[in-house]
Amino acid sequence: MEITAAVTHGKGETFKLEKVTLDSPQAGEVKIKIVASGTCHTDMVARDQEYPVPLPAVLGHEGSGIVEEVGEGVTTVAPGDHVVLSYSSCGHCKSCLSGQPFACEYMFEYNFTGVMGDQTHRLHHHNQQLSTFFGQSSFATYAVANERNVVKVDKDVDLSLLGPLGCGIQTGSGAVLNTLKPEGGSSIAVFGSGAVGLSALMAAKAIGCTTIIAVDIHDHRLELAKELGATHTINAKVDDPVKKITEITTKGVQYAVETAGHPAVFRQAVEALTFRGQVAIVGAPPFGAEVHLDINDLLTKEKRVVGVIEGDSIPQVFIPKLISLYKEGKFPFDRLVKFYDFKDINQAIQDSETGATIKPILKMV
């Protein structure tokens, strides 16, 4: 079928809305009418080829929409269901079979190499194959995704709001709720107050952390962090975050989340930990990024560093939990978003990159 998609033709180029062809879903796949899609830093990483996604491609990996057609063998969703699209995983490696699809041994192949699980394409343009992104390519009016990508959600919540739960918001909140699991009354510092960082912050508040420190370089983001639950804020352009955190907590924080994807910020997050403190790194730096740490600081204080992909989340389990928290008023992620028409995708991306908008959502309908 013919659809409209935002095509990325070359490294760093702006997105172009074009008519492309989408094939029918194969066995185990689902065709979705995309209602909306969040934009994410990872889309820009692929556009700029910091991750080597084959171009031309249709990016987008935070889609939400309505199921229109299912392929042979699909049992978890049916036409008419409201769904959120998340990351792709193989389903057969040791991690997937152990209930840890976020650690899929083939995560890169399934999400960044441009093909579906059967190594074929679903998108075409003038007889040229287009790469699929995260097994969904939601910067389009329709998408075909594997059933494993698809999460059925309640119909009593605005569907256009839910796409970012599939990646950015899931990643930040999951780093707290699924990985660090801080106990009530504990302290946490969140480095970066974008969508991922603020999602981590809201999760920390929901779980009962009582000292919640937001670190960023934008005052307007820090103000929003206060409204969402931060007990303290630090502008890293003005103050040394490690020194300020030590002043606030005496010996450092018990937990930290690093979302900036910057080696220097990651080092600050490690240095800001107290004894037996834990830091989750979720930011996506360029391949080959390095950081120098004081090994004795890690050793003598028994600090722990853990990498986190997609919030250590099983989307079909975790996303409905986030929606329940949202309904209860405990996870107001709608405060992060601004809606844009699909045709204004390049403005949405620009606003995201400048920090003017925390989480742009493109509305296709």
Side-chain angles (χ1 to χ4, degrees):
M1 67 178 294
E2 185 179 76
I3 68 171
T4 300
V7 182
T8 304
H9 286 280
K11 178 180 178 179
E13 293 183 9
T14 57
F15 296 90
K16 296 180 180 178
L17 265 57
E18 299 178 359
K19 297 295 183 182
V20 305
T21 300
L22 177 68
D23 292 343
S24 298
Q26 302 300 303
E29 296 178 350
V30 181
K31 183 176 80 176
I32 303 102
K33 180 179 182 180
I34 301 295
V35 171
S37 177
T39 72
C40 177
H41 174 66
T42 308
D43 294 309
M44 307 310 105
V45 167
R47 177 201 63 185
D48 297 338
Q49 294 290 278
E50 294 176 15
Y51 281 11
V53 177
L55 300 179
V58 178
L59 301 178
H61 63 287
E62 292 184 342
S64 62
I66 301 170
V67 175
E68 283 213 348
E69 182 182 353
V70 298
E72 179 183 353
V74 172
T75 60
T76 58
V77 294
D81 284 344
H82 287 195
V83 296
V84 168
L85 305 183
S86 192
Y87 64 88
S88 187
S89 57
C90 75
H92 55 73
C93 70
K94 184 177 180 180
S95 292
C96 286
L97 292 175
S98 300
Q100 299 172 324
F102 45 84
C104 174
E105 295 173 20
Y106 302 97
M107 175 68 76
F108 188 86
E109 288 85 349
Y110 271 70
N111 291 276
F112 296 101
T113 58
V115 293
M116 300 295 282
D118 61 3
Q119 302 301 299
T120 64
H121 294 77
R122 300 289 175 270
L123 291 161
H124 313 275
H125 185 227
H126 299 319
N127 297 318
Q128 181 182 29
Q129 294 175 333
L130 299 175
S131 287
T132 297
F133 194 52
F134 271 69
Q136 59 171 281
S137 291
S138 57
F139 287 170
T141 51
Y142 286 83
V144 167
N146 189 278
E147 182 180 16
R148 291 179 60 81
N149 293 54
V150 179
V151 182
K152 184 177 178 180
V153 296
D154 294 341
K155 292 184 177 181
D156 60 350
V157 181
D158 181 5
L159 184 57
S160 62
L161 180 66
L162 301 182
L165 295 178
C167 185
I169 291 175
Q170 168 176 261
T171 295
S173 58
V176 174
L177 299 176
N178 298 328
T179 307
L180 295 178
K181 299 179 181 178
E183 60 276 6
S186 58
S187 60
I188 187 168
V190 180
F191 289 76
S193 294
V196 176
L198 290 174
S199 297
L201 186 150
M202 290 186 290
K205 181 181 179 183
I207 208 171
C209 293
T210 51
T211 300
I212 303 173
I213 304 169
V215 183
D216 202 272
I217 59 174
H218 299 288
D219 285 333
H220 71 282
R221 290 191 177 194
L222 292 172
E223 285 300 318
L224 180 57
K226 286 182 182 179
E227 296 174 15
L228 295 175
T231 58
H232 303 79
T233 61
I234 299 169
N235 187 320
K237 281 188 174 181
V238 178
D239 294 303
D240 178 350
V242 177
K243 181 179 179 181
K244 291 293 292 186
I245 289 170
T246 303
E247 290 175 358
I248 293 166
T249 61
T250 305
K251 293 184 178 180
V253 286
Q254 295 163 275
Y255 303 95
V257 182
E258 194 285 314
T259 73
H262 193 290
V265 177
F266 171 58
R267 176 168 180 163
Q268 290 175 341
V270 173
E271 292 176 343
L273 295 175
T274 188
F275 289 80
R276 295 186 60 80
Q278 300 180 60
V279 58
I281 177 170
V282 302
F287 278 114
E290 297 181 351
V291 62
H292 297 283
L293 299 175
D294 183 343
I295 296 176
N296 279 314
D297 178 51
L298 294 175
L299 176 64
T300 60
K301 294 185 178 180
E302 285 204 356
K303 295 181 178 182
R304 290 164 169 78
V305 177
V306 60
V308 182
I309 299 294
E310 294 290 347
D312 284 354
S313 305
I314 300 173
Q316 291 78 4
V317 176
F318 190 59
I319 289 175
K321 288 182 178 180
L322 293 180
I323 293 174
S324 294
L325 287 171
Y326 169 70
K327 288 181 179 181
E328 294 174 4
K330 297 178 180 179
F331 191 73
F333 70 93
D334 56 325
R335 296 285 308 279
L336 311 182
V337 312
K338 179 180 178 180
F339 291 105
Y340 294 77
D341 290 337
F342 189 24
K343 64 180 177 62
D344 297 322
I345 181 172
N346 290 305
Q347 184 63 55
I349 297 300
Q350 180 180 333
D351 290 351
S352 176
E353 292 182 314
T354 63
T357 300
I358 292 175
K359 173 56 71 172
I361 296 181
L362 305 172
K363 297 186 77 170
M364 280 60 176
V365 295

